[in-house]
Structures are given as structure tokens and as C-alpha cells.
Amino acid sequence: MTKYVMKRLIIGLVAVVLSVAINFVLIRVAPGDPITIMAGMDNPNQEMIDHLISKYGLDKPILTQFGIYLSNIARGDFGYSYRNNQPVMGLIGQRLFPTFLMTFSAAILALVIGSALGLAAARTRDSRMDRFFSSISYIFDAMPGFWLALMLILLFASRLKWFPTMGMINMRAGYTGWAHVLDVLYHLALPVICLVLLNVPRYFRITRAAVLQVMSEDYITLFRASGMNEKQIFRKFVLKNALLPTVTIFGLSLAGCFMGASLIEIVFAWPGMGRLLLDAITKRDYSVLSGVYFIFSMMLVSATILVDVVCAALDPRIRLE
């Protein structure tokens, strides 16, 4: 098991380095640059432009810039934001918790609801409930996230007035203590509902398909023929073997939800990584973009390694292969 984990860690490290390298190059070869924006578009001062280019090291070859960047992040230094002149990790740290709070809450709820519905649908195959939830899952899976977010705001916030339209807290109220916690949860409800509706269909279909596949195996038929109780078969054998695909999807969906929540954050004006990423793209803030993409890469690789280890612990055949 230790050898298996070490192999996955090495592969993950290589994947992060490659991701950092690709993002670093693509950001800098894209049209536009931060210096032009900082110096002003109407009447740029060439002396200021030359000074800023030299200050941020943009006059060096791109390979030299990349080498300096790698040596800096190895020491935990992600540089300074061109736009805000603040440490990149400080800016990311301010936005990381709101994003994590929203995405983790949505991922857990989507896992529980989607898996429960998938189990119920598989055990009542071809019933009205199975056909209904299967149809609904395809409808929600086809919906664009930003469109669903706008529809939820239009219905539940603007028309019914059940939830706030934007933000993380009520700035005017200035709540403290448990009142502040409840205020955050109140503002969190609508973005989480949106993410849950978008992710439940994935868990539903995966769980349903996995349960149906396991229930059709020969050894399950043998257990039934021997007179074993159906509930005992399902609890001891079907559920455990059908759990692996769901665990795999949960780990990858958690990382994907973390990265894909940017549009949802922007629509709901949630002060997370999405707004920071959008501002960095529009201002060509290379340092912030590189830092955000590094965090996204680390999240995806960490989730993948964790999923591999959990699946290997549940099924020894995986690590033997």
C-alpha cells in the first residue's frame, strides 16, 4: 500500500508541475499584458512602461521567468498582484474559505441526495419513480449553470423574496456571533441549491448504474438462489461493491465543483475565487492567475490521489494491479 501511495504522489507532483508550466506559458502568450493596462491606455508613458516591465521581470526570456517563478513557489512565494500590489497568497487566502464553504457544502448534499435517489431508483427499476428521476436528471444535467443560477435568483430572490440576491453577508446589519453564522447560511442557501441541482444528476446516474450492474452479477443470483435475505444481500454485497464508482465521482466532482463554481460565484456575487479569477483575467494579472490555477491544480491532483487511495483501501485488487 505504501508503494502504491508513493507512486501516486510522484505522478501527482509531475502533473502539478506540468499544469503550472502550461498555464504559465499560455497566460503570457495570450493577447494583452498587464503593463499596458497599468500604464494607461489613453496616454501611456514609455518611461513608466519600461520601469514596470523591469520591476516585474517581464523583460527576461520566458524560460528565465518560469525558472524564477518555480524557485519562488518552492519557497511559498507566489509574488505580488500587479493590480493590487498585494501578496498573491494573501488575496487567495481571503477568497479560499468562501469558495470552499460553498463547494464543499454543495458536494456533500449532492452526494447524499443523488446516491439516495440512485439507490431507490435501482431497487425499483422501471417504476414510475425510476422513470421520473431519470428524466429529471437529464434535464438538470443539460442546464447551463449560470442560466439556472439566474432563474433561481429571478424566482426565489426577486419574486418570492425568500433569499437574498447576492453577497455573503448583510453588510448593513453588521451581525456578530451566531447571528453572523446564520446570516452567512442564509446567503449561502441559494448558491448551494444551484450547485446541488447541477451535481445531483451525476451521482444519481452513477449510483443507479453501479447498483444495477452489481445486482446482475452471477454471485448475487447465487445468493438469492441459496435463500439469503434480499436486504442482507443488498447491505453486505451490493452496496459495498457499488460504492467504488460513487467514491471516485465524489472526489473528482469535489475538485471539479471547486473549479467550476466560478460562474456561480459571479452570478451570486459570492466573494470567492470566481470573482478574483475574473478580475485577474480582465486585468491580465499574471501572478494572481498563476496562483489561482496552481491552487486549482493542487485541488484536482489531491482529490485524484485521495480517491485512488480510498478505492485501493476498499478494493485490494486495484493496488495489486
Side-chain angles (χ1 to χ4, degrees), residues 1 6 22 27 56 73 78 80 107 112-113 120 144 176 187 195 229 235 242 246 251 268 288 293 315:
M1 186 67 175
M6 291 301 299
I22 293 172
I27 290 170
Y56 291 107
I73 64 174
F78 286 81
Y80 281 77
V112 174
I113 297 172
T176 58
H187 285 76
L195 286 175
N229 184 272
R235 185 176 64 255
T246 305
F268 286 102
V288 175
Y293 289 141
D315 189 352

Coordinates of all heavy atoms in Angstrom, one line a residue, residues 1 6 22 27 56 73 78 80 107 112-113 120 144 176 187 195 229 235 242 246 251 268 288 293 315:
M1 N 0.8 -1.2 0.0 CA 0.0 0.0 0.0 C 0.9 1.3 0.0 O 0.5 2.2 -0.7 CB -0.9 0.0 1.2 CG -1.9 1.1 1.2 SD -3.2 1.0 -0.1 CE -4.2 2.3 0.3
M6 N 3.0 6.1 -2.7 CA 4.2 6.9 -3.2 C 4.2 7.1 -4.7 O 4.5 8.1 -5.2 CB 5.5 6.2 -2.7 CG 5.7 6.2 -1.2 SD 5.8 7.9 -0.6 CE 7.2 8.6 -1.5
I22 N 2.3 24.8 -18.2 CA 1.3 25.1 -19.3 C 0.6 26.4 -19.1 O 0.5 27.2 -19.9 CB 0.4 23.9 -19.6 CG1 1.1 22.7 -20.1 CG2 -0.7 24.3 -20.5 CD1 0.3 21.4 -20.1
I27 N -0.7 31.9 -20.3 CA -1.1 33.2 -19.8 C -0.3 34.3 -20.4 O -0.8 35.4 -20.8 CB -0.9 33.3 -18.3 CG1 -2.0 32.4 -17.6 CG2 -1.1 34.7 -17.7 CD1 -1.8 32.2 -16.1
Y56 N 8.8 44.0 -12.7 CA 8.2 42.7 -12.6 C 8.9 41.6 -13.4 O 8.4 40.5 -13.5 CB 6.7 42.8 -13.0 CG 5.8 43.6 -12.1 CD1 5.4 44.9 -12.5 CD2 5.5 43.1 -10.9 CE1 4.6 45.7 -11.6 CE2 4.7 43.9 -10.0 CZ 4.3 45.1 -10.4 OH 3.5 45.9 -9.5
I73 N 7.8 29.7 -5.9 CA 6.7 29.0 -5.3 C 7.3 27.8 -4.5 O 6.5 27.3 -3.6 CB 5.8 28.5 -6.4 CG1 6.4 27.5 -7.4 CG2 5.2 29.6 -7.2 CD1 5.5 26.8 -8.3
F78 N 4.4 33.4 -4.0 CA 3.7 33.4 -5.3 C 3.7 34.8 -5.9 O 2.9 35.1 -6.9 CB 2.2 33.0 -5.1 CG 2.1 31.5 -4.9 CD1 2.4 30.9 -3.7 CD2 1.8 30.6 -6.0 CE1 2.3 29.6 -3.5 CE2 1.7 29.3 -5.8 CZ 2.0 28.7 -4.5
Y80 N 3.5 39.2 -6.2 CA 2.6 40.2 -5.8 C 1.6 40.5 -7.0 O 2.0 40.3 -8.1 CB 3.3 41.5 -5.5 CG 3.9 41.6 -4.1 CD1 5.1 40.9 -3.8 CD2 3.3 42.3 -3.1 CE1 5.6 40.9 -2.5 CE2 3.8 42.3 -1.8 CZ 5.0 41.6 -1.5 OH 5.5 41.6 -0.3
A107 N -21.2 19.8 -2.5 CA -20.8 18.4 -2.9 C -21.3 17.4 -1.9 O -21.7 16.3 -2.3 CB -19.2 18.4 -2.9
V112 N -25.2 12.9 -1.0 CA -26.2 12.2 -0.2 C -27.5 12.1 -1.0 O -28.1 11.0 -1.1 CB -26.4 13.0 1.1 CG1 -27.6 12.4 1.9 CG2 -25.1 12.9 2.0
I113 N -28.0 13.2 -1.6 CA -29.3 13.2 -2.3 C -29.2 12.3 -3.5 O -30.1 11.5 -3.8 CB -29.7 14.6 -2.6 CG1 -29.9 15.4 -1.3 CG2 -30.9 14.6 -3.4 CD1 -30.1 16.9 -1.5
A120 N -32.6 4.2 -4.5 CA -34.0 3.9 -4.6 C -34.5 3.6 -6.0 O -35.4 2.7 -6.2 CB -34.8 5.2 -4.0
P144 N -27.3 24.9 -18.4 CA -26.1 25.7 -18.1 C -26.2 26.3 -16.7 O -27.2 26.7 -16.2 CB -26.1 26.9 -19.1 CG -27.1 26.4 -20.2 CD -28.1 25.5 -19.5
T176 N -23.0 39.8 14.5 CA -21.9 39.1 15.1 C -22.3 37.8 15.8 O -23.5 37.6 16.0 CB -21.3 40.0 16.2 OG1 -22.3 40.4 17.2 CG2 -20.7 41.3 15.6
H187 N -27.4 33.5 3.2 CA -26.9 33.9 1.9 C -26.4 32.7 1.1 O -26.3 32.7 -0.1 CB -25.8 35.0 2.0 CG -26.4 36.3 2.4 ND1 -26.8 36.7 3.7 CD2 -26.6 37.5 1.6 CE1 -27.2 37.9 3.7 NE2 -27.1 38.4 2.5
L195 N -25.8 24.6 -7.1 CA -24.8 23.6 -7.3 C -25.3 22.2 -7.1 O -24.9 21.3 -7.8 CB -23.6 23.9 -6.4 CG -22.7 25.1 -6.8 CD1 -21.6 25.4 -5.8 CD2 -22.0 24.9 -8.2
N229 N -31.6 -13.6 2.5 CA -32.5 -12.5 2.6 C -32.1 -11.4 1.6 O -30.9 -11.0 1.5 CB -32.6 -11.9 4.0 CG -33.6 -10.8 4.2 OD1 -33.3 -9.7 4.0 ND2 -34.8 -11.2 4.5
R235 N -27.3 -5.1 1.5 CA -26.5 -4.4 2.5 C -25.0 -4.9 2.5 O -24.1 -4.1 2.6 CB -27.1 -4.5 3.9 CG -26.4 -3.7 5.0 CD -27.1 -3.8 6.3 NE -27.1 -5.1 6.9 CZ -28.1 -5.9 6.9 NH1 -29.3 -5.5 6.4 NH2 -28.1 -7.2 7.4
A242 N -21.0 -1.4 -5.1 CA -21.5 -0.3 -5.9 C -20.9 1.0 -5.4 O -21.2 2.1 -6.0 CB -23.0 -0.3 -5.9
T246 N -19.1 5.6 -7.0 CA -19.6 6.8 -6.3 C -18.5 7.6 -5.6 O -18.4 8.8 -5.6 CB -20.7 6.5 -5.3 OG1 -21.7 5.7 -6.0 CG2 -21.3 7.7 -4.7
G251 N -14.8 12.4 -5.3 CA -13.6 13.1 -5.2 C -13.3 14.0 -6.4 O -12.9 15.1 -6.2
F268 N -24.0 35.1 -8.3 CA -24.5 35.4 -7.0 C -23.6 36.4 -6.2 O -23.9 36.7 -5.1 CB -24.5 34.1 -6.1 CG -25.7 33.2 -6.5 CD1 -25.4 32.1 -7.3 CD2 -27.0 33.5 -6.1 CE1 -26.5 31.2 -7.7 CE2 -28.0 32.6 -6.5 CZ -27.8 31.5 -7.3
V288 N -1.6 36.6 -10.1 CA -2.8 36.1 -9.5 C -3.4 34.9 -10.3 O -3.8 33.9 -9.7 CB -3.9 37.2 -9.4 CG1 -5.2 36.6 -8.9 CG2 -3.4 38.3 -8.4
Y293 N -4.6 29.2 -10.7 CA -4.5 28.0 -11.4 C -3.7 26.9 -10.7 O -4.0 25.7 -10.8 CB -3.9 28.2 -12.8 CG -4.9 29.0 -13.7 CD1 -4.4 29.9 -14.6 CD2 -6.2 28.7 -13.7 CE1 -5.3 30.6 -15.4 CE2 -7.1 29.4 -14.6 CZ -6.6 30.3 -15.4 OH -7.5 31.0 -16.3
D315 N -10.9 -1.8 -2.2 CA -10.8 -2.9 -3.1 C -9.3 -3.2 -3.3 O -8.6 -2.5 -4.1 CB -11.4 -2.6 -4.5 CG -11.5 -3.8 -5.4 OD1 -10.9 -4.9 -5.0 OD2 -12.2 -3.8 -6.4

